[in-house]
């Protein structure tokens, strides 16, 4: 399965290079950001499979939200950049505009990596509690409860900078925004149930996405 993914990625990269005069450098910068997110997450996915789950809130809605994010952040941008599917929704930008997204995605990727590293074996792609699950309140979690979500919002904001298209550029933000709104209350309720007053006190001194908010 991994080899199939690598072959698809290689084919997409070849198409993006071929269509570079049409899409501009933003298309390759977007591809690099997505690829680096995958590289960062891969070892933590492997570790996650080795740790037993004690509670899971994964259901049809959760799966649909995850699929929506995959479509919004990967499938729709890839289809548009490879084929021009949504070219009717393009908007003009100056040639250097996509490079403004480089520092944005760099910040997002650093926070994405750091939030995985600080969670360690507690991380999972869906709403789950792990065996000997601990409440992480240090590192980037010291003042923000969901720094990984902050990181993903930042990376998808860069997608909107890299791809000058109202659909393919903003589909990642739209899909993840919906997931965030529907998932976070369930996630925090699960954490309250598991950690009680310790989590309530943690919520009092932290913001969800940014310190103090």
């Amino acid at each position: 399965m991994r080899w199939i993914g690598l072959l698809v990625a290689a084919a997409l990269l070849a198409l993006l290079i071929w269509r570079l005069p049409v899409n501009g450098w933003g298309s390759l910068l977007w591809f690099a950001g997505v690829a680096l997110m995958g590289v960062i997450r891969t070892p933590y996915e492997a570790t996650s499979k080795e740790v037993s789950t004690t509670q899971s809130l994964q259901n049809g809605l959760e799966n649909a939200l995850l699929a929506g994010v995959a479509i919004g952040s990967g499938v729709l941008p890839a289809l548009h950049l490879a084929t021009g599917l949504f070219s009717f929704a393009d908007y003009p930008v100056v040639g250097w505009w996509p490079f403004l997204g480089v520092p944005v995605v760099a910040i997002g990727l650093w926070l994405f990596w750091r939030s995985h590293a600080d969670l360690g074996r507690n991380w999972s792609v869906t709403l789950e509690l792990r065996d000997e699950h601990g409440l992480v309140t240090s590192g980037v979690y010291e003042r923000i409860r969901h720094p990984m979500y902050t990181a993903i919002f930042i990376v998808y904001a860069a997608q909107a900078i890299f791809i000058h298209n109202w659909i393919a550029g903003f589909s990642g933000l739209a899909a993840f925004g919906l997931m965030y709104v529907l998932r976070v209350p369930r996630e925090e309720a699960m954490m309250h149930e598991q950690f009680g007053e310790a989590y309530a006190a943690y919520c009092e001194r932290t913001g969800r996405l940014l310190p103090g908010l």
Side-chain angles (χ1 to χ4, degrees):
M1 184 65 70
R2 182 174 297 178
W3 284 107
I4 294 176
L6 290 174
L7 287 173
V8 170
L12 175 59
L13 179 59
L15 278 171
L16 295 184
I17 293 173
W18 179 55
R19 286 179 53 84
L20 188 61
V22 177
N23 296 322
W25 285 100
S27 60
L28 296 184
L29 295 171
W30 166 80
F31 181 89
V34 172
L36 287 171
M37 286 185 81
V39 169
I40 290 169
R41 176 160 280 185
T42 295
Y44 298 98
E45 287 183 331
T47 300
S48 177
K49 294 176 182 178
E50 298 172 356
V51 183
S52 59
T53 300
T54 59
Q55 181 181 353
S56 176
L57 296 184
Q58 186 173 10
N59 55 21
L61 174 62
E62 176 76 3
N63 292 334
L65 291 172
L66 288 169
V69 172
I71 292 170
S73 64
V75 176
L76 293 184
L79 278 176
H80 169 67
L81 294 173
T83 67
L85 180 64
F86 305 122
S87 57
F88 61 88
D90 283 346
Y91 54 85
V93 294
V94 294
W96 49 264
W97 170 258
F99 291 98
L100 295 178
V102 173
V104 176
V105 78
I107 293 169
L109 289 172
W110 177 86
L111 185 57
F112 189 70
W113 162 74
R114 190 65 257 175
S115 55
H116 277 83
D118 288 342
L119 271 185
R121 67 191 299 278
N122 296 306
W123 176 81
S124 62
V125 71
T126 187
L127 297 183
E128 295 178 340
L129 290 174
R130 300 296 186 166
D131 185 36
E132 299 182 359
H133 199 108
L135 177 59
V136 178
T137 61
S138 59
V140 292
Y141 290 86
E142 183 175 357
R143 299 181 64 190
I144 307 174
R145 295 199 296 282
H146 304 288
M148 193 175 300
Y149 294 165
T150 306
I152 294 172
F153 271 122
I154 293 172
V155 171
Y156 292 167
Q159 174 181 319
I161 300 173
F162 292 146
I163 305 174
H164 53 281
N165 182 272
W166 290 111
I167 297 174
F170 290 87
S171 54
L173 278 174
F176 188 72
L178 177 62
M179 181 177 185
Y180 173 82
V181 169
L182 296 178
R183 173 192 262 198
V184 167
R186 298 174 64 231
E187 181 174 351
E188 294 196 345
M190 180 177 69
M191 297 295 283
H192 273 291
E193 182 180 347
Q194 177 71 11
F195 298 107
E197 289 301 318
Y199 189 73
Y202 176 60
C203 290
E204 285 293 322
R205 64 177 187 269
T206 58
R208 276 183 170 171
L209 294 176
L210 294 170
L213 295 180

